[in-house]
Amino acid sequence: MDGQEKFNAIVAKYPHPTKIHSERPHLSRRTFFQLAGAGITASFLPAKLPASPLITTSGNVTTQNKAKNVIYILLAGAPSHTDTFDLKYISGTTPSTFNPTSINGVMWPMGIMPKLGGMMGDLAIVRSMQAWALVHQLGQTWVQIGRNPAAVLGNISPNIGSVVAIEKEPERTVGQVFPTFLALNSSSGAGPGYFAAEYAPFKVTPATTGLKNTTNSTGQARFSERYDFLHHIDDPLRVDSPLGKPAEDYDNFYQAAQGMMYNSAVNTAFSYSNADAARYGNTSFGNACLVAKQVLAANQGTRYIEITQGGWDMHQNIYQTAQLPTLAGLLDNGLSALISDLKASGAFAETLIVMQGEFGRTVGPLTGAKGRDHYPQQFVMFAGAGVQGGRAIGSTDSLGSATVDPGWSRARDVKPEDVEATIYSAMGIDWTTVRHDDPLGRGFYYVPNSDQDIYGPINELWPSPSASLSGT
Amino acid sequence: MRTNAFLLLICISGPCLAQPNYSECSFFGSQRETYARLALQAMGRKVPESTASALTRQVSSAISKAHRDDTPSFQTKPLPDTIDYFILNGLQAASVAPADKTDDYTFFRRVTLDLTGRIPTPTAVTAFVSDPTPNKRAIYIDSLLASPQWVDKWTMFYGDLLQNNATNTQIQRKNEGRNAFYKYIHDSLAANKPFNKMATELIAAQGQNSFDQTNGQLNYLVGGYVTGGPNQDIFDGQTAMIADQLLGMAHVNCLLCHNGAGHLTTLSLWGGQTTRTQAEQLSAFMAHTWVKEVKIVDPTNPTNNNLYYWSLAAYTTDYALNTTTGNRPARSPIGTIKTLTPIYLFNGGGVPSPGEDYRTALARYVTEDPQFARATVNYIWAHLFQVGIVDPPDQFDPMRLDPNNPPPAPWTLQPSNPALLASLTAHFIASGYDLKALMREITNSETYQLSSLYNGTWDPANQQLFGRKLIRRLWPEEIHDAVAQATGVVPSYNISGFSKDSTTPTVISPGFGNISFAMQFPDVTLVPDGGGVVSQFLDSFLRGDRDANPRKEEGSVLQALDLMNDNFIESRVKVTNVGGLSARNVGQQPAQAVDAMFMAVLSRHPTGDELTASVALLQSGNKGNNLEDLLWTLFNKVDFTFNY
């Protein structure tokens, strides 16, 4: 595997990310402070990042630019790939109830995920992905920020959703009040890193009653008076500073919060009926999928939604009905309803759905505890935004233990950094972008090592231009 | 050692990657921000401005407009071997001017919050600021240290550090175990137990019943349990926990998977030279400890397997190098060596005396190790100053601490003020490991009492010179308690699994009664109402779970929505609360009412502008409504939510 060997050699020589600090172009401290203002950002710190001189790209990539929105589903705990999206039927091990069925050449557990099986034509399953590490916390953060969290830059690196948020900021229109980056059932989701707080994931647990605390007990009119008085009396603490920048973040939070109050768009998008919840399977995952659909339909500025479904860490009794079969069923109900609804409204064609765990699970026979343990081989599923479904990209050996065919142009295992580049490309974001406004002064690369073209989007997900011209 | 300026893959290359199943390096998840700072320090590079520093800059400059009462600091030369002596030396060496001293109002509120988690009452504020006694600040500090609220606040602090919870990802202490551990921490602090004695009791705990409230320390090592692997994984987990929490050395966790060479080389001079075997020899002190589940039989339902407590029973075998599965890479014999006997890793080493219980020996070596005192001092300094003298406080590098024995270039000394840390450590040891004495020393210093306002241009790179007080957002528990106290509408929570006696069969575990103040909660999740509305209000301010998610100071839109609209605050501002703050001021003249409310909520008088605007508000329309609106405004002010 030539591509894999070359990649391994590069990574061995230059651990994440490739260039050492001292070799990178950087701004002098003085220039940095002049251009970008003082201090790194965390939650309460000044917001807007300056424009273009600090942002560079390679200038020679073409993005797919097919998606307006992204729904990123994290299957936390790490699902067993060989029991789900890279099904390997092992006689005597795999329960017959899984009903392994070949759909379009893709082996699929119809017995536990029948609805998604019926939608195979919409799904593209990448089976040649490998994780870098097998620790839950590390792995989950890694896939959300698209780089090694333990590396020096890992700390300040934003969630992929935050990068999308900052890139799509100029497209927000007056009157749009939803956060650009919404996180549902993702209370420990990765944050905005060094980006300002308005690009942080807005974390919500869906409820039938909608978004909590968006009305004041005194009513709208009196709340408005209170809010005006608050600014009258507290603006000296919020909007003035000897450095020339106000405590914008604190005030930004309040302004954003006020914008979400007494807003029918908020109520419509975030609340739902029991009937709708039932259609999505009556689960917290289903509710999140439902709210995601509604939020996108509201067209109120949200462009990236992260949903977490936990419970996949099945070290014991994985085939017990209450374990994998049940959880897969909940996933099946929720995701299939989401895809159906998005297709019905026409949003599917402009919404990229990405779904993965933080790694895979051991293959072959079960462990002594009748479960599966952590393992690097995994899958990532794509759908929507013009992705050509009904197939697997790449393939593994008969056990699912290693990639035998990478299935894409870089001819090696797919990594989280490639998934990251794919998302940016789909959204029309140049993944070779480097922002020189990072606090360490060494440049924040949207995709690590993009100047060396080590990682890149999986363009094979989309039909090639010649294919579409020929009408296939 | 700057062969490669980048942090190499830590704990995630080689054998670790190949393992199918291994433990949570929760260390990474919770330490992302701190990791960058560490690596940069190790390389001798400038450290970027911390959250606290930037935050301080933004908010405090604005607070200056409200009330400025500047007195220059360090007017008298500090005596040698004091905090101020070392800090002033550091500032002068760097040609950095310190901030001014705090005025009495600011100091009074700040130290009350920092030491007790509560805001002062208006009466106390007035008495203090008008008191002419020259050493009134020192007298007040003593009264805070002697208060029951001090015990509550530091029980919460040590509950966080020692990770006391009823349920974590690896094991369940259950409510009864969590309560027993809570009682142990609380009562130890209330007795001002020397901290080396506390650490000894935690490490060398003996007993058969983790629910026993006379032996709550048993629950410490129970919390270090690790599932899904051999016993050696448990010994390693407990060792990593002790090294992190009591020695400030989280790198031991890395070394229990692999040698430092190639992994810690750019992070820690000591770590890069230490081997896995050496770390495992430290872990070998735990090898005789068996965290044993003891089933409780439910007479009404004998098949119920969910009732149990823990005992610390005894194994007789030593740390064996014979594992192939589990959470860490395989442990294999080294030549003919098949088991490891305990050898302490620091401070010149040490082994158990003949016949000595292993954990008793470990407790002895840990508490005699100056690093124990150093780490304890630094953790508390980091809390009171928002950044440690060594920061992050769990990343100590033993080879970079001594100014008389500095590390080779390009490594630099790790503490931002090595002489200060050494002095604080020596004082702490000499005091008998007295936590109150340490806090007395710190809060009485002019350094602690510096203003958070800064004259001139503040360079964030100077944050560890401590020439300016960095501000912090209040804990959710502090916000809850300040709202309750200021409004006078104090809740009473019957906390499930805590307030009432345990109903688990055959278990005698007395309850703690109804609880009014959040700083008295025994836990940070699900309390006080099982995840209900008050829990959610507190959770939005990020109190964490004492497991993979640490407490955080970040803000959010949800916090703004909660401060503006949550019923916890809304219900308390109403004049219908008989005897509450707003109701009490219905009959007052507007100026008096305004002053009373500012004093109750913000512990200060209104400025001229604030008074004018607030009086105008009260005079226009329904007085009751206006009082409620003013009170609402005060709880949403920047100088309520922050300790400046």
Side-chain angles (χ1 to χ4, degrees):
Chain A
M1 202 190 308
D2 196 15
Q4 188 69 51
E5 283 161 8
K6 270 201 298 198
F7 177 72
N8 290 345
I10 290 172
V11 171
K13 194 172 171 203
Y14 302 110
H16 312 271
T18 291
K19 267 206 173 139
I20 61 175
H21 268 138
S22 57
E23 287 176 14
R24 292 178 168 217
H26 69 283
L27 300 174
S28 71
R29 246 179 100 73
R30 208 176 95 206
T31 315
F32 163 64
F33 279 115
Q34 280 172 354
L35 288 174
I40 66 169
T41 53
S43 309
F44 280 105
L45 302 177
K48 304 291 194 261
L49 295 165
S52 16
L54 298 184
I55 299 175
T56 58
T57 70
S58 70
N60 59 5
V61 300
T62 312
T63 63
Q64 288 288 340
N65 196 24
K66 301 270 195 333
K68 184 179 170 213
N69 308 307
V70 174
I71 298 179
Y72 180 90
I73 301 175
L74 177 66
L75 302 174
S80 165
H81 59 298
T82 56
D83 290 310
T84 58
F85 288 73
D86 190 6
L87 181 65
K88 306 290 180 186
Y89 181 74
I90 303 173
S91 170
T93 298
T94 314
S96 58
T97 48
F98 277 33
N99 190 14
T101 310
S102 177
I103 306 173
N104 237 22
V106 175
M107 193 58 83
W108 183 259
M110 275 302 269
I112 57 172
M113 292 196 283
K115 295 179 182 172
L116 288 174
M119 297 176 148
M120 183 55 63
D122 296 315
L123 314 179
I125 306 170
V126 174
R127 289 173 162 176
S128 50
M129 181 168 182
Q130 281 222 352
W132 287 112
L134 301 180
V135 188
H136 289 298
Q137 188 87 21
L138 188 72
Q140 286 175 24
T141 305
W142 202 312
V143 299
Q144 290 176 72
I145 66 174
R147 71 207 66 230
N148 179 0
V152 175
L153 285 184
N155 146 69
I156 55 141
S157 296
N159 192 315
I160 293 170
S162 295
V163 175
V164 170
I166 207 171
E167 283 285 327
K168 298 302 175 182
E169 163 80 19
E171 294 176 20
R172 290 184 68 90
T173 60
V174 171
Q176 284 184 332
V177 295
F178 289 9
T180 318
F181 178 10
L182 177 67
L184 302 170
N185 295 341
S186 303
S187 55
S188 48
Y194 80 96
F195 288 359
E198 67 205 81
Y199 308 113
F202 185 82
K203 294 181 179 175
V204 172
T205 305
T208 50
T209 45
L211 208 54
K212 198 164 67 88
N213 285 339
T214 50
T215 59
N216 188 270
S217 71
T218 61
Q220 187 169 8
R222 207 169 133 198
F223 169 75
S224 189
E225 289 170 9
R226 284 180 166 187
Y227 191 77
D228 287 344
F229 182 72
L230 173 63
H231 276 285
H232 179 51
I233 211 173
D234 208 32
D235 271 0
L237 302 189
R238 290 166 178 247
V239 292
D240 200 1
S241 151
L243 291 174
K245 281 201 183 221
E248 271 185 9
D249 264 20
Y250 193 76
D251 204 43
N252 278 344
F253 288 132
Y254 270 73
Q255 285 183 33
Q258 191 243 356
M260 299 192 81
M261 291 176 60
Y262 295 107
N263 191 318
S264 57
V266 169
N267 299 335
T268 309
F270 283 91
S271 60
Y272 49 88
S273 65
N274 289 327
D276 276 335
R279 265 197 314 111
Y280 278 71
N282 258 335
T283 61
S284 58
F285 173 70
N287 297 340
C289 290
L290 169 57
V291 167
K293 178 208 76 167
Q294 293 179 169
V295 164
L296 293 181
N299 199 24
Q300 280 278 349
T302 302
R303 308 289 294 275
Y304 191 102
I305 302 179
E306 179 173 315
I307 299 174
T308 302
Q309 185 197 35
W312 289 98
D313 190 31
M314 295 169 185
H315 288 281
Q316 298 163 348
N317 301 316
I318 190 172
Y319 292 145
Q320 264 182 14
T321 309
Q323 293 287 313
L324 189 123
T326 294
L327 195 57
L330 304 190
L331 174 63
D332 192 51
N333 287 335
L335 182 57
S336 62
L338 174 64
I339 292 176
S340 289
D341 280 1
L342 288 175
K343 290 178 89 167
S345 68
F348 188 67
E350 57 180 24
T351 304
L352 179 71
I353 301 176
V354 185
M355 188 167 81
Q356 62 171 123
E358 62 265 40
F359 36 81
R361 302 197 85 82
T362 50
V363 305
L366 300 181
T367 64
K370 299 204 174 51
R372 297 190 180 283
D373 296 338
H374 306 178
Y375 194 77
Q377 194 75 29
Q378 63 172 119
F379 72 88
V380 53
M381 186 212 84
F382 294 85
V387 163
Q388 185 179 341
R391 61 202 176 111
I393 292 178
S395 62
T396 54
D397 59 27
S398 61
L399 281 179
S401 70
T403 301
V404 297
D405 170 24
W408 66 313
S409 60
R410 291 182 187 263
R412 56 150 175 86
D413 289 329
V414 170
K415 292 300 200 180
E417 291 81 351
D418 303 310
V419 175
E420 175 181 33
T422 306
I423 293 174
Y424 294 145
S425 176
M427 289 291 280
I429 297 169
D430 188 337
W431 71 90
T432 68
T433 302
V434 182
R435 304 185 76 94
H436 297 280
D437 55 10
D438 65 298
L440 304 182
R442 299 303 185 184
F444 170 69
Y445 287 58
Y446 280 10
V447 171
N449 318 318
S450 56
D451 53 335
Q452 305 200 21
D453 193 35
I454 299 203
Y455 304 104
I458 310 165
N459 291 314
E460 286 74 4
L461 286 166
W462 286 274
S464 60
S466 55
S468 61
L469 278 175
S470 68
T472 52
Chain B
M1 291 289 290
R2 197 160 40 170
T3 53
N4 182 328
F6 262 123
L7 203 62
L8 301 178
L9 297 174
I10 298 180
C11 294
I12 52 176
S13 64
C16 280
L17 244 193
Q19 285 305 304
N21 167 26
Y22 71 119
S23 71
E24 292 306 90
C25 267
S26 65
F27 164 63
F28 291 117
S30 65
Q31 296 298 337
R32 279 180 64 208
E33 169 163 8
T34 56
Y35 233 93
R37 194 158 292 122
L38 175 79
L40 290 169
Q41 283 177 342
M43 293 182 280
R45 291 179 191 270
K46 276 197 185 288
V47 174
E49 185 178 39
S50 71
T51 304
S53 171
L55 182 53
T56 298
R57 222 179 356 88
Q58 294 305 323
V59 179
S60 67
S61 61
I63 287 171
S64 70
K65 303 274 177 174
H67 49 287
R68 203 158 197 159
D69 185 11
D70 303 337
T71 321
S73 57
F74 297 114
Q75 290 297 285
T76 47
K77 200 169 140 117
L79 294 172
D81 196 32
T82 58
I83 293 172
D84 296 331
Y85 174 82
F86 297 114
I87 290 292
L88 194 56
N89 280 352
L91 288 167
Q92 285 169 348
S95 302
V96 172
D100 290 331
K101 284 176 68 149
T102 41
D103 63 274
D104 274 349
Y105 289 92
T106 304
F107 164 76
F108 198 67
R109 181 178 186 265
R110 176 198 295 174
V111 75
T112 310
L113 278 165
D114 277 352
L115 288 182
T116 69
R118 302 284 286 271
I119 55 173
T121 62
T123 314
V125 173
T126 306
F128 181 77
V129 299
S130 59
D131 185 346
T133 313
N135 63 337
K136 64 180 178 183
R137 290 192 178 193
I139 294 171
Y140 183 59
I141 286 167
D142 279 347
S143 74
L144 291 176
L145 294 172
S147 69
Q149 288 77 22
W150 179 88
V151 179
D152 292 334
K153 176 342 194 317
W154 295 93
T155 302
M156 185 68 74
F157 174 87
Y158 279 106
D160 282 353
L161 182 67
L162 304 173
Q163 295 183 291
N164 184 23
N165 47 25
T167 308
N168 75 28
T169 46
Q170 302 288 335
I171 199 172
Q172 294 194 36
R173 291 187 177 93
K174 305 284 193 173
N175 290 329
E176 291 92 340
R178 185 269 322 270
N179 296 348
F181 197 14
Y182 163 81
K183 185 170 182 4
Y184 170 77
I185 297 171
H186 180 278
D187 291 354
S188 299
L189 292 171
N192 199 21
K193 183 181 294 178
F195 196 64
N196 57 338
K197 183 158 192 276
M198 223 171 128
T200 300
E201 290 170 352
L202 292 170
I203 297 172
Q206 308 287 342
Q208 270 68 58
N209 186 345
S210 60
F211 288 1
D212 181 353
Q213 288 187 7
T214 67
N215 201 7
Q217 60 264 41
L218 223 56
N219 288 280
Y220 179 59
L221 289 176
V222 167
Y225 189 89
V226 176
T227 57
N231 290 337
Q232 289 87 331
D233 286 355
I234 302 173
F235 309 149
D236 287 357
Q238 293 166 325
T239 300
M241 187 176 77
I242 291 169
D244 182 344
Q245 297 165 3
L246 299 177
L247 294 171
M249 306 261 335
H251 287 141
V252 169
N253 194 13
C254 307
L255 293 164
L256 287 166
C257 270
H258 49 62
N259 294 338
H263 296 269
L264 297 176
T265 316
T266 56
L267 279 194
S268 169
L269 184 57
W270 166 84
Q273 304 173 19
T274 306
T275 64
R276 185 184 185 193
T277 303
Q278 287 174 293
E280 286 172 334
Q281 286 165 326
L282 180 65
S283 190
F285 277 98
M286 302 301 306
H288 287 175
T289 302
W290 177 9
V291 179
K292 184 177 173 194
E293 187 178 294
V294 181
K295 288 240 182 289
I296 300 169
V297 178
D298 180 353
T300 66
N301 181 10
T303 62
N304 183 356
N305 278 330
N306 204 28
L307 297 182
Y308 53 85
Y309 55 82
W310 299 97
S311 85
L312 294 186
Y315 292 125
T316 51
T317 51
D318 279 337
Y319 193 101
L321 299 171
N322 64 355
T323 67
T324 53
T325 63
N327 298 285
R328 296 191 188 255
R331 299 174 183 82
S332 309
I334 306 163
T336 53
I337 300 172
K338 293 187 181 164
T339 59
L340 297 175
T341 53
I343 303 178
Y344 188 64
L345 185 49
F346 310 102
N347 199 29
V351 301
S353 308
E356 185 181 22
D357 169 70
Y358 280 1
R359 283 190 287 113
T360 303
L362 179 63
R364 182 162 58 75
Y365 284 118
V366 166
T367 54
E368 282 172 4
D369 188 346
Q371 181 57 31
F372 165 68
R374 204 177 285 129
T376 303
V377 160
N378 193 58
Y379 271 126
I380 289 173
W381 181 280
H383 176 71
L384 294 173
F385 286 90
Q386 279 66 68
V387 63
I389 303 167
V390 167
D391 205 74
D394 63 355
Q395 310 271 300
F396 271 90
D397 182 350
M399 285 183 157
R400 297 172 52 217
L401 300 176
D402 184 0
N404 296 326
N405 188 14
W411 295 96
T412 56
L413 282 171
Q414 202 182 20
S416 66
N417 195 321
L420 168 64
L421 182 58
S423 167
L424 282 171
T425 303
H427 294 175
F428 183 59
I429 295 172
S431 75
Y433 301 83
D434 183 341
L435 294 173
K436 288 191 184 183
L438 172 64
M439 294 185 207
R440 180 176 297 115
E441 182 177 359
I442 291 175
T443 53
N444 271 298
S445 70
E446 197 151 336
T447 303
Y448 172 81
Q449 297 181 16
L450 290 176
S451 177
S452 55
L453 316 177
Y454 195 74
N455 307 311
T457 310
W458 170 249
D459 187 346
N462 294 329
Q463 68 196 14
Q464 272 183 298
L465 294 177
F466 302 106
R468 172 193 199 176
K469 187 68 174 60
L470 301 181
I471 72 177
R472 67 172 178 91
R473 196 209 68 203
L474 262 47
W475 285 359
E477 292 86 349
E478 288 173 310
I479 293 173
H480 173 286
D481 292 350
V483 172
Q485 178 186 308
T487 58
V489 185
V490 179
S492 176
Y493 301 117
N494 173 353
I495 301 178
S496 170
F498 180 75
S499 293
K500 295 225 154 66
D501 295 354
S502 174
T503 54
T504 305
T506 75
V507 165
I508 300 170
S509 180
F512 293 76
N514 278 14
I515 301 296
S516 287
F517 290 97
M519 201 59 86
Q520 296 170 327
F521 293 168
D523 209 331
V524 292
T525 55
L526 299 177
V527 293
D529 52 359
V533 290
V534 179
S535 291
Q536 290 172 41
F537 174 72
L538 296 167
D539 287 344
S540 76
F541 293 91
L542 305 174
R543 48 185 179 161
D545 60 11
R546 292 180 171 174
D547 195 4
N549 294 304
R551 196 180 279 273
K552 289 196 195 128
E553 285 207 357
E554 300 161 10
S556 71
V557 175
L558 293 179
Q559 289 173 23
L561 285 172
D562 278 0
L563 286 168
M564 289 196 290
N565 303 314
D566 195 270
N567 183 62
F568 185 79
I569 296 181
E570 279 298 283
S571 63
R572 284 173 169 78
V573 306
K574 296 201 189 302
V575 292
T576 45
N577 288 301
V578 176
L581 180 62
S582 51
R584 287 206 304 273
N585 283 287
V586 167
Q588 296 293 325
Q589 290 300 307
Q592 272 74 35
V594 170
D595 190 70
M597 291 173 68
F598 267 76
M599 285 292 280
V601 177
L602 301 177
S603 307
R604 64 171 176 86
H605 300 289
T607 63
D609 287 346
E610 288 170 340
L611 183 63
T612 308
S614 302
V615 165
L617 175 74
L618 292 187
Q619 286 172 330
S620 60
N622 180 304
K623 182 126 188 240
N625 283 359
N626 294 333
L627 281 166
E628 292 176 357
D629 292 350
L630 176 61
L631 188 48
W632 177 93
T633 301
L634 296 180
F635 285 128
N636 280 281
K637 275 174 92 346
V638 165
D639 51 341
F640 172 71
T641 324
F642 290 91
N643 193 10
Y644 56 91

